[in-house]
Amino acid sequence: MNSFENITQIIKERRSVFPPMFSEEKIEDEVVMALLENANWAPNHRKTEPWRFIIFSDSSLQSLSDYLGDYYEANTPEESFSEKKLAKTRKKPLMSSHVIAICMKRDPMESVPEWEELSAVSCAVMNLWLSATARGLGGYWSSPKSILQADEFLNLEEGEKCLGLFYLGIPRPEIEIKGERKPIEDKVKWM
């Protein structure tokens, strides 16, 4: 298989894999760092490299679980509150091998528009996601309001903001998620 065929296969196999689909097996920290090394090679204008990652694993998954649950309890109106949703919110990090907070550090010189830095972070996450797929791992990017407002919890620096969480785990062997896309011809116009 040549490189183009290989990357095409990985792109088409990438799926959102959710924590209830993960096995209890832990991913080695070195593998997570290898995934993030690939994320680090994302394209970015003016070499601002705006992506930042905060990794939760082992006992820190409990602190993330506590934060997310506490936020839900404190910020959900009584008429919208659900014990089931609270339990699910608290459980997701604990079902994951690692959870990665996806953050962006804005170029202090603002040498590029913010949307370009957001796009660069998105490209970094895609590199992470495709690398995870190539390793037989699963994950998904979630952006609940709780984590978007977690500057203090995450101890973010000036100019940093969190764009979501990437839940990472090893899919159980019986999990199969089919992918579908409408034909590309419906989305392309030649000039």
Side-chain angles (χ1 to χ4, degrees), residues 145-173:
K145 188 175 185 179
S146 55
I147 206 66
L148 302 178
Q149 297 181 356
D151 295 10
E152 186 177 327
F153 171 71
L154 295 172
N155 197 27
L156 297 183
E157 297 175 5
E158 181 73 28
E160 286 185 329
K161 70 166 114 179
C162 186
L163 303 175
L165 297 171
F166 193 85
Y167 291 86
L168 186 62
I170 300 172
R172 293 192 319 270

Side-chain angles (χ1 to χ4, degrees), residues 113-139:
E114 184 179 37
W115 73 263
E116 289 191 17
E117 295 200 308
L118 289 165
S119 297
V121 173
S122 297
C123 288
V125 173
M126 193 62 179
N127 282 0
L128 161 66
W129 213 331
L130 292 173
S131 298
T133 300
R135 293 290 304 245
L137 305 174

Side-chain angles (χ1 to χ4, degrees), residues 51-64:
W51 45 83
R52 300 292 185 272
F53 303 103
I54 300 169
I55 304 169
F56 293 88
S57 66
D58 302 318
S59 63
S60 67
L61 289 168
Q62 183 63 58
S63 67
L64 177 60

Side-chain angles (χ1 to χ4, degrees), residues 1-15 38 126-137:
M1 184 180 301
N2 69 36
S3 296
F4 182 77
E5 291 168 340
N6 192 30
I7 192 67
T8 298
Q9 179 182 344
I10 293 166
I11 290 168
K12 289 182 177 182
E13 288 176 359
R14 188 219 49 83
R15 298 284 177 275
N38 284 355
M126 193 62 179
N127 282 0
L128 161 66
W129 213 331
L130 292 173
S131 298
T133 300
R135 293 290 304 245
L137 305 174

